[in-house]
Amino acid sequence: MLDLAYETPAPKVIAGAKQDWELVIGLEVHAQVASNAKLFSGASTTFGAEPNSNVAFVDAAMPGMLPVINEYCVEQAVRTGLGLKAEINLFSAFDRKNYFYPDLPQGYQISQLYHPIVGEGEVLVDMAPGVARRVRIERIHLEQDAGKSIHDMDPNMSFVDLNRTGVALMEIVSRPDIRGPEEAAAYVVKLRQILRYLGTCDGNMQNGNLRADVNVSICKPGDYERYQETGDHSVLGTRCEIKNMNSMRFIQQAIEYEARRQIRIVEGGETVDQETRLYDPDKGETRSMRSKEEAHDYRYFPCPDLLPLEIEQAWVDGIAASLPELPDAKKARFVQDFGMTEYDAGVLTADTESAAFFEDVARGRDGKQAANWVINELFGRLKKEDHGITESPMSAEQLGGILDLIAKGDISGKIAKDLFEIVYTEGGDPAEIVEARGMKQVTDTGAIEAAVDEIIAANPNQVAKAQQNPKLAGWFVGQVMKATGGKANPKAVNELVSAKLGL
Ligand code: ADP
Ligand code: MG
């Protein structure tokens, strides 16, 4: 596999009233496992179903019901671990995290505290071409999601929807290696991209299928490097955790606000309390949800209903062998094989559909030109209508057909753009359209020569001017192009105009 070289970005520095401060950030991302059935029941995970219609007896915690592990969810967690270059633990186990909440009928969440299924891995977070932060993953564990309490449907009552109860989540825990608000958002973007490539989570943040708890602390310049060298957490500041963030923009705003709040506290001679906070996007501030003193004692203990999860290396190897090409590798390959910039490769590999579309266009053609047309023309056009690549009315075959006509010299770049618009809006085979509408480029020098002669004869003043100032020859070229409806071969026109004007 290829790797692109990268430099590490500078950490964000915030100037306080007294000194400069740096940020230290670690994320706990909850990603809903892409699976038709829940983690311990056969109930459906379909989003937006009628409330309480996707609930098995075990999800509703009916007495005597026992959880049965969904092998596919385990496979998805292993696939995710492998995609994050992580260690896979052949032995893992489930624990009960006890707490009461109306949307949690069991009275506990089944999670993996002591023996997570996935150990240490990493994510390379792209900040700019050639600039990336390596963020270490501490662990990934499997756990159940809770249901949903609805408080805003009735002034006097709350409702509970258990459709989500028991759906499999992967909690992906990073080390505190993220050094600024933009990096935090970029980390979530990259993680989501990898999960989507792997097909292990759809990454839909609006539906709550991907959400992050964001841990933020501040430190003095140099402290973080000391932590990196020694692994000693105590040189870092006290962190606050901002719960349940499901927007890249809010993640950045919340971190920025939270860092400034902590700086004010520390510079004022007080200490930051370790607590859980909520971000209020309307006010643009975080506020305390619960402090460490009020923190729950979850009384974790091994779940007696489930045997430890033991998987075989051969099974893991089979999953590893079926992994798709992942974003970093694909990007590096695009740079290497097609000679495109890392920026363009990043755009084309943002999702697998765009990458596959591009590769279909580029196959057997000039890769750089294909990249240009896909990014500048097609993506630009799609964006106008707020469409993604999967909604493109133009197929890779059609776009490739346009490029073939340019390569053969049948149409000029300018006509190609007109043709692009026709194919995009009306559909059809590019070569047939060019034929039917007489859009073929005129390469017949005789016809071009006649047009040049005619324009030179009709404009003696311009001829005199151009002979003094050869730059004005462009005017003749423009006239000839106009006279031929843009179909004259521009190179031939240029040559003929220069020759006839004696330049
Ligand atoms: P706990 O054991 O209390 O759950 P962890 O060490 O597991 O704490 O950390 C939970 C999350 O907090 C991780 O994502 C980690 O990266 C992050 N974190 C830990 N220490 C800090 C810190 N000083 N500043 C910011 N984030 C931190
Ligand atoms: Mg922890």
Side-chain angles (χ1 to χ4, degrees):
M1 197 185 82
L2 292 164
D3 274 319
L4 294 172
Y6 64 90
E7 282 173 23
T8 301
K12 164 118 177 165
V13 176
I14 298 182
K18 296 185 177 161
Q19 64 159 101
D20 284 349
W21 295 92
E22 290 182 1
L23 278 61
V24 175
I25 301 160
L27 264 63
E28 296 160 283
V29 170
H30 295 265
Q32 183 178 318
V33 175
S35 155
N36 293 332
K38 297 184 179 181
L39 183 55
F40 298 117
S41 84
S44 166
T45 59
T46 307
F47 181 81
E50 190 65 20
N52 297 310
S53 60
N54 293 339
V55 188
F57 288 130
V58 69
D59 305 324
M62 291 294 159
M65 293 296 118
L66 289 173
V68 177
I69 186 89
N70 178 342
E71 180 179 331
Y72 185 66
C73 293
V74 177
E75 184 182 327
Q76 290 286 60
V78 169
R79 185 172 288 117
T80 301
L82 291 168
L84 300 180
K85 299 184 187 155
E87 187 190 322
I88 305 299
N89 295 323
L90 299 181
F91 176 95
S92 66
F94 290 97
D95 306 293
R96 285 186 181 178
K97 178 180 180 179
N98 298 281
Y99 64 99
F100 171 80
Y101 213 74
D103 56 28
L104 185 81
Q106 287 172 156
Y108 55 83
Q109 177 194 33
I110 303 177
S111 181
Q112 297 188 305
L113 177 68
Y114 302 108
H115 301 285
I117 183 151
V118 178
E120 300 203 345
E122 66 175 61
V123 175
L124 197 61
V125 180
D126 313 286
M127 299 307 298
V131 183
R133 169 86 61 197
R134 181 174 167 266
V135 174
R136 293 167 301 161
I137 300 294
E138 182 188 317
R139 57 188 275 155
I140 304 175
H141 57 259
L142 275 168
E143 62 184 28
Q144 303 174 290
D145 206 349
K148 193 167 142 200
S149 298
I150 303 155
H151 305 293
D152 57 3
M153 265 175 65
D154 187 286
N156 303 311
M157 278 190 282
S158 284
F159 295 90
V160 171
D161 177 5
L162 298 183
N163 281 352
R164 215 177 186 120
T165 308
V167 165
L169 298 180
M170 296 179 280
E171 180 169 334
I172 304 166
V173 183
S174 87
R175 296 272 182 202
D177 288 347
I178 300 164
R179 309 302 315 283
E182 296 79 20
E183 284 186 25
Y187 167 79
V188 178
V189 168
K190 184 62 177 282
L191 189 59
R192 180 176 66 177
Q193 183 191 23
I194 295 171
L195 297 177
R196 284 179 169 164
Y197 264 65
L198 292 166
T200 57
C201 170
D202 71 13
N204 188 330
M205 295 181 86
Q206 247 155 17
N207 293 355
N209 296 351
L210 190 81
R211 43 199 204 261
D213 298 341
V214 182
N215 297 274
V216 182
S217 67
I218 53 163
C219 69
K220 295 180 178 160
D223 283 351
Y224 182 78
E225 286 70 21
R226 216 162 316 147
Y227 154 67
Q228 286 259 291
E229 276 158 31
T230 60
D232 177 9
H233 273 94
S234 68
V235 300
L236 299 175
T238 303
R239 71 175 190 270
C240 286
E241 179 184 20
I242 314 163
K243 273 276 178 210
N244 250 330
M245 306 289 298
N246 66 350
S247 133
M248 307 296 178
R249 194 158 54 93
F250 294 160
I251 286 174
Q252 296 183 60
Q253 290 172 356
I255 291 171
E256 185 87 32
Y257 175 88
E258 182 56 24
R260 290 180 191 279
R261 187 187 71 88
Q262 293 180 13
I263 291 169
R264 266 198 316 277
I265 292 173
V266 174
E267 291 196 340
E270 313 269 321
T271 52
V272 173
D273 290 328
Q274 186 175 335
E275 59 183 2
T276 303
R277 301 178 68 86
L278 278 183
Y279 181 65
D280 179 341
D282 295 327
K283 296 208 176 103
E285 58 187 39
T286 61
R287 62 173 171 326
S288 182
M289 193 174 142
R290 56 175 182 257
S291 69
K292 192 159 193 190
E293 290 75 58
E294 307 162 56
H296 296 87
D297 176 1
Y298 293 117
R299 204 168 56 93
Y300 275 101
F301 63 83
C303 183
D305 290 342
L306 289 158
L307 286 168
L309 190 57
E310 293 188 63
I311 56 178
E312 311 232 313
Q313 187 60 45
W315 187 63
V316 174
D317 292 344
I319 299 169
S322 74
L323 284 196
E325 183 181 37
L326 291 171
D328 291 335
K330 207 183 270 295
K331 189 165 89 173
R333 180 168 64 80
F334 278 18
V335 168
Q336 166 117 352
D337 289 3
F338 299 108
M340 65 177 79
T341 62
E342 187 183 334
Y343 181 85
D344 284 354
V347 172
L348 291 171
T349 57
D351 53 75
T352 48
E353 293 86 357
S354 297
F357 190 103
F358 162 73
E359 290 208 86
D360 286 343
V361 176
R363 196 162 297 117
R365 302 193 176 94
D366 176 350
K368 239 172 161 173
Q369 191 191 24
N372 265 334
W373 276 80
V374 171
I375 295 173
N376 299 323
E377 302 307 320
L378 184 61
F379 288 179
R381 188 67 178 77
L382 287 166
K383 207 170 179 180
K384 273 192 199 155
E385 280 146 26
D386 213 14
H387 282 162
I389 187 70
T390 52
E391 297 153 304
S392 172
M394 184 184 285
S395 67
E397 197 188 341
Q398 286 170 313
L399 182 51
I402 297 175
L403 299 189
D404 290 342
L405 292 167
I406 302 175
K408 273 196 284 177
D410 280 1
I411 55 172
S412 65
K414 191 184 161 298
I415 293 287
K417 291 193 181 174
D418 298 340
L419 177 62
F420 176 92
E421 187 59 26
I422 294 169
V423 176
Y424 188 95
T425 49
E426 300 171 26
D429 175 58
E432 280 169 19
I433 294 170
V434 164
E435 204 59 57
R437 305 197 190 184
M439 294 168 81
K440 254 199 182 150
Q441 176 161 265
V442 179
T443 33
D444 165 14
T445 34
I448 299 173
E449 207 172 337
V452 174
D453 286 342
E454 202 172 300
I455 285 156
I456 286 182
N459 298 282
N461 289 345
Q462 286 293 117
V463 172
K465 279 191 210 162
Q467 278 164 347
Q468 300 208 311
N469 179 2
K471 276 190 192 153
L472 298 178
W475 180 83
F476 287 91
V477 174
Q479 293 299 306
V480 176
M481 294 306 286
K482 213 161 152 190
T484 55
K487 286 181 289 184
N489 181 324
K491 194 164 156 259
V493 175
N494 261 306
E495 283 167 7
L496 279 166
V497 165
S498 297
K500 299 257 171 190
L501 290 175
L503 302 177

